[in-house]
Amino acid sequence: MMRDLLGTPLFGIGLTLLCYALAQLLYRRTASIFLNPVAVSITAIIGVLMFLHIPYEDYAVGGRYIHFLLGPSVVALGFPLYTRRKEILARKAPILIGVLAGALTSILSASGLAWLLGGSRDVVLSLAPKSVTTPIAISIVEKIGGIAPLTAALVVITGCLGAICGPEFCRLIGVRDAAAMGLAVGTAAHGIGTARMLEVDRLGGAIAGLAIGLNGLITAFILPLLFLLFR
Amino acid sequence: MARGFAILLLLQFLGEMISAGLNLPIPGNVIGMGLLLLALNLKLVRTQWVEDAVELLLSHLALFFVPAGVGVMVYFDLIAAEWFPITVSTVLSTFVVMAVTGWVAKLLEKQGAAHDA
């Protein structure tokens, strides 16, 4: 009976919504940035699945319906780009050069640090596109030869990190302007960071969404070339 | 609402077609983002047709990342094998990228403002 129910979408969808609703409640009650609803829900669901020995595949039967909504949501990010187009066009140079600087920094710092700390070639390559949105990161890693599933996991962890403390870190280092903050969080922490930025500031969120696309484009172009140089 | 969702899904579908057809490394939904911006600019799509659906999706964007995040559990072994370089590099690099991007944007914005004045 229980086993049959676990194989239906009801389980994955129900567990995700339940955990997310509770995580949101916890976040609002405590107002602690470290209790970020995405990070807390992910941790709680993994905890439940491991505790009850339920394989990820059973969860994914329902989880993929929620995951599906990511597709149209990314398309929807074009909407705030349109409504805030004047403010964005007024910042063409800071946006383009900022993302370019961020993309290069990301590739070099992520793989450089891992290399200095004795990471294997696989790990160094898998880390290189970690700030890029998952589908782009995967296709890059398949091209340069890292471990795609490892990259997918690192992209999510990077996103959670940026969502948890991105805006706070930006304020701490003197980046208080919503546009610059959105650009920083979107470039470093792609969609998960953008989701948080949308809660902080609408213009910042719109620019973070733009940064996802720009960083993806730039990294997809530069990383394979850099890789040829260092081979 | 239904019209908005239909338009977003149609643009995603067109994006996927372009991505697959031209063999681009850019995913269909990111191309769809560009297509929506283009369609709104060309007045092929009116803002009021899509704004309800957009608002609903974007106000729940964080939720939609949860299932992919749970997928990390399948790869715990891969991360555990080299946890030290992976953790240090991921954490430090994320902060360095935010700092560099934020500072460059801030500096150039200031210069732009000074130039305009």
Side-chain angles (χ1 to χ4, degrees):
Chain A
M1 170 65 188
M2 202 54 207
R3 274 245 53 98
D4 292 344
L5 274 177
L6 284 180
T8 70
L10 190 61
F11 171 66
I13 297 175
L15 182 64
T16 308
L17 291 178
L18 179 71
C19 287
Y20 190 73
L22 289 174
Q24 269 192 323
L25 195 68
L26 187 71
Y27 181 57
R28 284 193 197 127
R29 283 280 162 86
T30 60
S32 162
I33 53 164
F34 295 104
L35 294 175
N36 176 276
V38 184
V40 169
S41 312
I42 293 171
T43 315
I45 294 169
I46 291 179
V48 168
L49 296 179
M50 289 178 95
F51 184 72
L52 298 175
H53 298 286
I54 299 169
Y56 173 73
E57 289 69 30
D58 282 352
Y59 165 77
V61 171
R64 65 167 159 260
Y65 289 90
I66 293 173
H67 179 77
F68 171 78
L69 292 168
L70 260 187
S73 300
V74 172
V75 176
L77 285 168
F79 187 84
L81 289 184
Y82 175 73
T83 53
R84 311 303 289 261
R85 63 195 178 282
K86 291 204 182 79
E87 290 142 288
I88 291 169
L89 283 173
R91 296 175 167 86
K92 273 194 302 274
I95 288 176
L96 285 174
I97 300 170
V99 176
L100 185 65
L104 280 170
T105 306
S106 181
I107 297 168
L108 297 177
S109 65
S111 40
L113 279 165
W115 180 72
L116 284 175
L117 293 169
S120 66
R121 182 189 164 82
D122 276 348
V123 163
V124 170
L125 290 175
S126 305
L127 268 161
K130 70 152 188 24
S131 277
V132 172
T133 185
T134 310
I136 304 185
I138 298 276
S139 63
I140 294 174
V141 141
E142 281 170 349
K143 207 175 277 176
I144 63 174
I147 310 167
L150 179 59
T151 297
L154 296 171
V155 168
V156 171
I157 294 169
T158 301
C160 285
L161 203 60
I164 291 170
C165 47
E168 287 71 21
F169 175 73
C170 285
R171 275 184 214 120
L172 195 73
I173 59 165
V175 177
R176 290 187 186 83
D177 171 62
M181 187 189 287
L183 196 74
V185 176
T187 302
H190 54 90
I192 309 183
T194 299
R196 172 79 205 283
M197 256 333 281
L198 281 167
E199 293 164 18
V200 174
D201 182 275
R202 273 286 153 144
L203 175 64
I207 292 182
L210 177 62
I212 301 175
L214 288 176
N215 189 13
L217 277 170
I218 293 171
T219 308
F221 192 72
I222 292 180
L223 190 49
L225 290 178
L226 272 181
F227 173 66
L228 282 178
L229 282 179
F230 287 106
R231 193 158 62 174
Chain B
M1 183 71 82
R3 174 163 62 178
F5 271 103
I7 291 170
L8 294 177
L9 289 174
L10 177 70
L11 291 173
Q12 187 189 350
F13 177 74
L14 287 175
E16 305 282 2
M17 297 266 287
I18 294 172
S19 174
L22 301 177
N23 209 1
L24 299 175
I26 311 302
N29 52 21
V30 173
I31 296 175
M33 185 201 303
L35 291 177
L36 177 61
L37 178 62
L38 189 72
L40 288 165
N41 245 319
L42 298 174
K43 311 275 183 233
L44 294 171
V45 170
R46 301 249 164 240
T47 50
Q48 60 268 33
W49 293 354
V50 287
E51 65 187 346
D52 289 356
V54 165
E55 187 54 39
L56 183 73
L57 288 172
L58 293 190
S59 56
H60 295 86
L61 183 58
L63 165 66
F64 307 145
F65 283 103
V66 171
V70 176
V72 171
M73 70 183 276
V74 182
Y75 309 111
F76 275 161
D77 294 347
L78 273 175
I79 297 174
E82 289 185 53
W83 68 271
F84 184 69
I86 289 177
T87 316
V88 175
S89 155
T90 304
V91 174
L92 282 183
S93 163
T94 303
F95 287 107
V96 172
V97 173
M98 286 196 284
V100 170
T101 312
W103 281 335
V104 167
K106 189 183 161 184
L107 194 77
L108 290 172
E109 237 172 88
K110 244 186 224 157
Q111 276 187 345
H115 188 75
D116 289 341

